[in-house]
PDB file of all heavy atoms in Angstrom:
ATOM      1  N   LEU A 193     -11.223-199.646 -48.631  1.00 98.00           N
ATOM      2  CA  LEU A 193     -11.038-198.288 -49.163  1.00 98.00           C
ATOM      3  C   LEU A 193      -9.597-197.826 -48.918  1.00 98.00           C
ATOM      4  O   LEU A 193      -9.106-197.889 -47.792  1.00 98.00           O
ATOM      5  CB  LEU A 193     -11.990-197.305 -48.486  1.00 98.00           C
ATOM      6  CG  LEU A 193     -13.392-197.132 -49.061  1.00 98.00           C
ATOM      7  CD1 LEU A 193     -14.177-196.127 -48.213  1.00 98.00           C
ATOM      8  CD2 LEU A 193     -13.360-196.665 -50.514  1.00 98.00           C
ATOM      9  N   GLN A 194      -8.939-197.355 -49.991  1.00 97.00           N
ATOM     10  CA  GLN A 194      -7.583-196.807 -49.872  1.00 97.00           C
ATOM     11  C   GLN A 194      -7.699-195.317 -49.535  1.00 97.00           C
ATOM     12  O   GLN A 194      -8.785-194.779 -49.480  1.00 97.00           O
ATOM     13  CB  GLN A 194      -6.856-196.949 -51.218  1.00 97.00           C
ATOM     14  CG  GLN A 194      -6.830-198.349 -51.767  1.00 97.00           C
ATOM     15  CD  GLN A 194      -5.776-199.226 -51.106  1.00 97.00           C
ATOM     16  OE1 GLN A 194      -4.853-198.723 -50.461  1.00 97.00           O
ATOM     17  NE2 GLN A 194      -5.914-200.532 -51.256  1.00 97.00           N
ATOM     18  N   HIS A 195      -6.560-194.655 -49.378  1.00 97.00           N
ATOM     19  CA  HIS A 195      -6.607-193.206 -49.163  1.00 97.00           C
ATOM     20  C   HIS A 195      -7.122-192.533 -50.418  1.00 97.00           C
ATOM     21  O   HIS A 195      -6.877-192.992 -51.533  1.00 97.00           O
ATOM     22  CB  HIS A 195      -5.231-192.665 -48.744  1.00 97.00           C
ATOM     23  CG  HIS A 195      -4.942-192.962 -47.317  1.00 97.00           C
ATOM     24  ND1 HIS A 195      -3.687-193.254 -46.848  1.00 97.00           N
ATOM     25  CD2 HIS A 195      -5.782-193.031 -46.249  1.00 97.00           C
ATOM     26  CE1 HIS A 195      -3.773-193.485 -45.542  1.00 97.00           C
ATOM     27  NE2 HIS A 195      -5.024-193.361 -45.166  1.00 97.00           N
ATOM     28  N   CYS A 196      -7.868-191.444 -50.199  1.00 97.00           N
ATOM     29  CA  CYS A 196      -8.574-190.800 -51.300  1.00 97.00           C
ATOM     30  C   CYS A 196      -7.988-189.409 -51.553  1.00 97.00           C
ATOM     31  O   CYS A 196      -7.682-188.684 -50.611  1.00 97.00           O
ATOM     32  CB  CYS A 196     -10.045-190.714 -50.912  1.00 97.00           C
ATOM     33  SG  CYS A 196     -11.068-189.878 -52.118  1.00 97.00           S
ATOM     34  N   PRO A 197      -7.814-189.036 -52.825  1.00 97.00           N
ATOM     35  CA  PRO A 197      -7.227-187.724 -53.114  1.00 97.00           C
ATOM     36  C   PRO A 197      -8.208-186.544 -52.941  1.00 97.00           C
ATOM     37  O   PRO A 197      -7.775-185.389 -52.910  1.00 97.00           O
ATOM     38  CB  PRO A 197      -6.825-187.854 -54.593  1.00 97.00           C
ATOM     39  CG  PRO A 197      -7.705-188.923 -55.159  1.00 97.00           C
ATOM     40  CD  PRO A 197      -8.066-189.839 -54.035  1.00 97.00           C
ATOM     41  N   VAL A 198      -9.499-186.837 -52.812  1.00 97.00           N
ATOM     42  CA  VAL A 198     -10.487-185.743 -52.678  1.00 97.00           C
ATOM     43  C   VAL A 198     -10.281-185.015 -51.348  1.00 97.00           C
ATOM     44  O   VAL A 198     -10.255-185.634 -50.280  1.00 97.00           O
ATOM     45  CB  VAL A 198     -11.941-186.294 -52.787  1.00 97.00           C
ATOM     46  CG1 VAL A 198     -12.964-185.198 -52.564  1.00 97.00           C
ATOM     47  CG2 VAL A 198     -12.141-186.971 -54.136  1.00 97.00           C
ATOM     48  N   CYS A 201     -12.776-185.512 -48.456  1.00 97.00           N
ATOM     49  CA  CYS A 201     -13.240-186.881 -48.210  1.00 97.00           C
ATOM     50  C   CYS A 201     -12.588-187.385 -46.931  1.00 97.00           C
ATOM     51  O   CYS A 201     -11.402-187.167 -46.704  1.00 97.00           O
ATOM     52  CB  CYS A 201     -12.852-187.787 -49.370  1.00 97.00           C
ATOM     53  SG  CYS A 201     -13.281-189.517 -49.085  1.00 97.00           S
ATOM     54  N   LEU A 202     -13.354-188.060 -46.099  1.00 97.00           N
ATOM     55  CA  LEU A 202     -12.778-188.512 -44.827  1.00 97.00           C
ATOM     56  C   LEU A 202     -11.742-189.621 -45.005  1.00 97.00           C
ATOM     57  O   LEU A 202     -11.048-189.987 -44.058  1.00 97.00           O
ATOM     58  CB  LEU A 202     -13.871-188.896 -43.820  1.00 97.00           C
ATOM     59  CG  LEU A 202     -14.790-190.101 -44.030  1.00 97.00           C
ATOM     60  CD1 LEU A 202     -14.101-191.396 -43.674  1.00 97.00           C
ATOM     61  CD2 LEU A 202     -16.032-189.929 -43.193  1.00 97.00           C
ATOM     62  N   MET A 203     -11.620-190.158 -46.243  1.00 97.00           N
ATOM     63  CA  MET A 203     -10.598-191.176 -46.501  1.00 97.00           C
ATOM     64  C   MET A 203      -9.260-190.563 -46.915  1.00 97.00           C
ATOM     65  O   MET A 203      -8.332-191.259 -47.306  1.00 97.00           O
ATOM     66  CB  MET A 203     -11.075-192.168 -47.573  1.00 97.00           C
ATOM     67  CG  MET A 203     -12.147-193.154 -47.121  1.00 97.00           C
ATOM     68  SD  MET A 203     -11.819-194.013 -45.553  1.00 97.00           S
ATOM     69  CE  MET A 203     -10.331-194.943 -45.942  1.00 97.00           C
ATOM     70  N   LYS A 204      -9.165-189.237 -46.797  1.00 96.00           N
ATOM     71  CA  LYS A 204      -7.912-188.567 -47.136  1.00 96.00           C
ATOM     72  C   LYS A 204      -6.796-188.986 -46.171  1.00 96.00           C
ATOM     73  O   LYS A 204      -7.044-189.201 -44.989  1.00 96.00           O
ATOM     74  CB  LYS A 204      -8.129-187.053 -47.059  1.00 96.00           C
ATOM     75  CG  LYS A 204      -7.080-186.257 -47.807  1.00 96.00           C
ATOM     76  CD  LYS A 204      -7.437-184.792 -47.841  1.00 96.00           C
ATOM     77  CE  LYS A 204      -7.130-184.123 -46.512  1.00 96.00           C
ATOM     78  NZ  LYS A 204      -7.186-182.661 -46.552  1.00 96.00           N
ATOM     79  N   SER A 217     -17.362-186.731 -44.217  1.00 96.00           N
ATOM     80  CA  SER A 217     -18.151-187.629 -45.067  1.00 96.00           C
ATOM     81  C   SER A 217     -17.258-188.304 -46.085  1.00 96.00           C
ATOM     82  O   SER A 217     -16.184-187.818 -46.403  1.00 96.00           O
ATOM     83  CB  SER A 217     -19.207-186.843 -45.841  1.00 96.00           C
ATOM     84  OG  SER A 217     -19.917-186.019 -44.989  1.00 96.00           O
ATOM     85  N   TYR A 218     -17.756-189.438 -46.613  1.00 97.00           N
ATOM     86  CA  TYR A 218     -17.073-190.088 -47.729  1.00 97.00           C
ATOM     87  C   TYR A 218     -17.423-189.306 -48.988  1.00 97.00           C
ATOM     88  O   TYR A 218     -18.554-188.818 -49.125  1.00 97.00           O
ATOM     89  CB  TYR A 218     -17.572-191.524 -47.900  1.00 97.00           C
ATOM     90  CG  TYR A 218     -17.288-192.451 -46.728  1.00 97.00           C
ATOM     91  CD1 TYR A 218     -18.312-192.867 -45.886  1.00 97.00           C
ATOM     92  CD2 TYR A 218     -16.003-192.928 -46.494  1.00 97.00           C
ATOM     93  CE1 TYR A 218     -18.066-193.736 -44.823  1.00 97.00           C
ATOM     94  CE2 TYR A 218     -15.748-193.791 -45.437  1.00 97.00           C
ATOM     95  CZ  TYR A 218     -16.780-194.192 -44.597  1.00 97.00           C
ATOM     96  OH  TYR A 218     -16.536-195.052 -43.550  1.00 97.00           O
ATOM     97  N   CYS A 219     -16.479-189.153 -49.921  1.00 97.00           N
ATOM     98  CA  CYS A 219     -16.781-188.471 -51.176  1.00 97.00           C
ATOM     99  C   CYS A 219     -17.675-189.391 -52.025  1.00 97.00           C
ATOM    100  O   CYS A 219     -17.904-190.549 -51.664  1.00 97.00           O
ATOM    101  CB  CYS A 219     -15.500-188.154 -51.930  1.00 97.00           C
ATOM    102  SG  CYS A 219     -14.718-189.593 -52.666  1.00 97.00           S
ATOM    103  N   GLY A 220     -18.158-188.877 -53.156  1.00 97.00           N
ATOM    104  CA  GLY A 220     -19.060-189.644 -54.008  1.00 97.00           C
ATOM    105  C   GLY A 220     -18.518-191.019 -54.372  1.00 97.00           C
ATOM    106  O   GLY A 220     -19.231-192.013 -54.318  1.00 97.00           O
ATOM    107  N   LYS A 221     -17.223-191.051 -54.723  1.00 97.00           N
ATOM    108  CA  LYS A 221     -16.629-192.303 -55.177  1.00 97.00           C
ATOM    109  C   LYS A 221     -16.521-193.326 -54.025  1.00 97.00           C
ATOM    110  O   LYS A 221     -16.884-194.495 -54.184  1.00 97.00           O
ATOM    111  CB  LYS A 221     -15.237-192.009 -55.752  1.00 97.00           C
ATOM    112  CG  LYS A 221     -14.773-193.037 -56.747  1.00 97.00           C
ATOM    113  CD  LYS A 221     -13.460-192.621 -57.390  1.00 97.00           C
ATOM    114  CE  LYS A 221     -12.780-193.852 -57.972  1.00 97.00           C
ATOM    115  NZ  LYS A 221     -11.344-193.672 -58.125  1.00 97.00           N
ATOM    116  N   CYS A 222     -16.015-192.848 -52.879  1.00 98.00           N
ATOM    117  CA  CYS A 222     -15.891-193.748 -51.722  1.00 98.00           C
ATOM    118  C   CYS A 222     -17.277-194.202 -51.258  1.00 98.00           C
ATOM    119  O   CYS A 222     -17.472-195.352 -50.859  1.00 98.00           O
ATOM    120  CB  CYS A 222     -15.156-193.053 -50.578  1.00 98.00           C
ATOM    121  SG  CYS A 222     -13.434-192.702 -50.963  1.00 98.00           S
ATOM    122  N   ASN A 223     -18.232-193.256 -51.342  1.00 96.00           N
ATOM    123  CA  ASN A 223     -19.615-193.550 -50.990  1.00 96.00           C
ATOM    124  C   ASN A 223     -20.190-194.685 -51.836  1.00 96.00           C
ATOM    125  O   ASN A 223     -20.765-195.632 -51.308  1.00 96.00           O
ATOM    126  CB  ASN A 223     -20.426-192.282 -51.261  1.00 96.00           C
ATOM    127  CG  ASN A 223     -21.494-192.066 -50.230  1.00 96.00           C
ATOM    128  OD1 ASN A 223     -21.298-192.339 -49.050  1.00 96.00           O
ATOM    129  ND2 ASN A 223     -22.628-191.584 -50.683  1.00 96.00           N
TER     130      ASN A 223
HETATM  131 ZN1   ZN B 312     -13.100-190.451 -51.205  1.00 93.48          ZN
END
Side-chain angles (χ1 to χ4, degrees):
L193 273 179
Q194 306 281 343
H195 283 145
C196 177
V198 176
C201 176
L202 67 79
M203 287 312 297
K204 199 173 77 168
S217 310
Y218 297 108
C219 73
K221 204 174 160 203
C222 294
N223 218 37

